[in-house]
Amino acid sequence: MNVIISNKQSEQLSNLDIDIIKSISGLYDAFEIVEMFKNFFFNMMILDVTALKNNNDIRSYEVLTKGIDPERIIFLLPEGSQLTTPNFLSHLISLKIYNFTTNVNGIKYLIKKRNTLKDVEQIIKIANMNDSNDTGAAITSIENKKSKIMHILGIKNVTEEAGATTFTYLLKKELSLIYGKNDIVAVEIGKNDFDLFNEKNMFSIREANVNNFLFKYTDTKVILVDLNNCKDDSFCNDIIYLIEPSTIKLNSLVRKNRYIFTKLVNKKVVLNKSLLLNNDIYDFESEAGVKVFYNMPPLDERKRNSIIHDFLSNLGYFVDEHENNNSSTIFGLFRR
């Protein structure tokens, strides 16, 4: 049985079809809520934060989490308010408050499956970006994660012209076939090469606009980023480092930076446009001191390449082969 505390969002909560043992409406401070429910047995508390006095003060939430297990509270936040900005949400997350949403569907989902830190950690990365345009609601919901999960995968050339632009396009094309074109977005930073593909949901932006771009596409399942010379790539969940293993490209790379491979230890190194065989890869790993994550041969970007599907599976994108191509379910984006 569940508890509801409501105020200005009571009408929205009236559409919530769940078992309710107790429901109160009004304005309460955090101490009052703790006193009322600290010894009260319930499954989940749905708290309309407009019912919480000083709801813009993080100390109110500290009081709540000290008196009631935050895993048992779902916070209904007013959509578009300052309470949904990445800065404020990151403070909530620091208190181990992971279950927040802006609508009834989100509440229904969180009752069935609660969030963990992994589900909301992307908000912290966005909040830590030093951009003066961090205003507005960057994340209005984490609700219904089956249809709203954002994962940011960066692709970066290590050797010159290692093929990051086309590689990003191939990944987008394969993911779009699986999850739908509107759920996959690709963006390149600092260049305009994507224009040549004439493809929907492929964008070119300046590095200064990265933050705003992520805000705009919060509800996208996967964002692929051709990083180019982007200085700060901390917004990515993971990064693929492309190396074209030709003699001239490798020698040129080492001449420019003889310590480059030490920076790639424990990174996801992909040999791209590679004709190396298994024994050649072993020699490369031994000489460079890095582990090769995947050996990608030259591909025809005009065709669907099954090896791209295999690469994504190895990367951790799990696809239920029994689902059709319009499935909106992503079964765990990355292995950890």
Side-chain angles (χ1 to χ4, degrees), residues 67-231:
I68 302 174
D69 184 355
E71 287 193 8
R72 298 173 64 200
I73 307 176
I74 297 173
F75 294 83
L76 179 63
L77 308 176
E79 188 168 6
S81 71
Q82 66 174 9
L83 304 182
T84 61
T85 59
N87 184 53
F88 191 83
L89 292 177
S90 68
H91 286 306
L92 293 185
I93 294 168
S94 71
L95 297 175
K96 297 185 178 180
I97 294 174
Y98 308 143
N99 298 300
F100 43 81
T101 180
T102 59
N103 61 52
V104 168
N105 286 334
I107 294 172
K108 291 178 179 178
Y109 180 83
L110 291 172
I111 287 175
K112 295 178 181 178
K113 187 178 185 302
R114 300 170 195 175
N115 279 339
T116 65
L117 175 59
K118 183 179 178 182
D119 296 311
V120 297
E121 63 184 356
Q122 183 60 31
I123 297 172
I124 300 173
K125 290 188 177 184
I126 295 176
N128 289 335
M129 292 179 185
N130 296 319
D131 194 304
S132 60
N133 293 319
D134 279 5
T135 58
I139 265 230
T140 58
S141 63
I142 298 290
E143 71 276 6
N144 200 358
K145 290 176 291 185
K146 285 188 178 181
S147 62
K148 294 184 179 180
I149 301 178
M150 180 172 67
H151 197 276
I152 304 174
L153 176 64
I155 298 94
K156 191 175 186 66
N157 286 334
V158 179
T159 55
E160 287 188 11
E161 299 179 354
T165 301
T166 300
F167 192 75
T168 304
Y169 168 70
L170 290 171
L171 295 181
K172 178 188 178 294
K173 189 163 67 170
E174 184 64 26
L175 287 168
S176 295
L177 288 171
I178 298 167
Y179 301 119
K181 291 183 178 180
N182 293 328
D183 288 321
I184 310 298
V185 169
V187 60
E188 62 178 342
I189 300 175
K191 290 188 178 182
N192 296 291
D193 296 333
F194 277 3
D195 291 344
L196 302 175
F197 287 110
N198 194 28
E199 180 82 6
K200 183 181 178 182
N201 286 341
M202 294 189 73
F203 305 95
S204 302
I205 63 172
R206 294 182 295 113
E207 185 171 354
N209 294 331
V210 168
N211 209 15
N212 284 342
F213 184 87
L214 296 180
F215 291 173
K216 183 176 180 180
Y217 289 96
T218 298
D219 289 342
T220 305
K221 283 189 175 70
V222 181
I223 297 180
L224 302 166
V225 186
D226 183 354
L227 291 164
N228 290 310
N229 295 317
C230 182
K231 295 178 181 178

Side-chain angles (χ1 to χ4, degrees), residues 25-41:
S25 182
L27 191 61
Y28 311 89
D29 67 33
F31 290 103
E32 288 180 287
I33 294 174
V34 169
E35 283 301 311
M36 279 190 283
F37 292 100
K38 66 180 181 181
N39 296 317
F40 191 87
F41 177 79

Side-chain angles (χ1 to χ4, degrees), residues 291-317:
K291 184 72 176 176
V292 172
F293 179 77
Y294 205 92
N295 186 43
M296 185 68 66
L299 300 174
D300 183 352
E301 70 273 14
R302 293 167 294 185
K303 299 179 180 179
R304 186 178 185 185
N305 298 277
S306 60
I307 196 169
I308 290 293
H309 188 97
D310 182 68
F311 170 77
L312 288 167
S313 295
N314 277 270
L315 200 57
Y317 290 82

Side-chain angles (χ1 to χ4, degrees), residues 153-159 162-164 167 171 238-246 250 253 261 264 267-274 276 281 284-285 290-297 299 307-308 311-312 314-315:
L153 176 64
I155 298 94
K156 191 175 186 66
N157 286 334
V158 179
T159 55
F167 192 75
L171 295 181
D238 214 343
I239 299 176
I240 300 300
Y241 296 86
L242 297 183
I243 293 178
E244 184 181 341
S246 66
L250 290 174
L253 176 66
F261 289 112
L264 296 176
K267 305 290 186 182
K268 287 187 171 66
V269 174
V270 172
L271 302 183
N272 196 34
K273 299 186 285 186
S274 171
L276 299 188
I281 296 171
F284 173 85
E285 291 178 330
V290 298
K291 184 72 176 176
V292 172
F293 179 77
Y294 205 92
N295 186 43
M296 185 68 66
L299 300 174
I307 196 169
I308 290 293
F311 170 77
L312 288 167
N314 277 270
L315 200 57

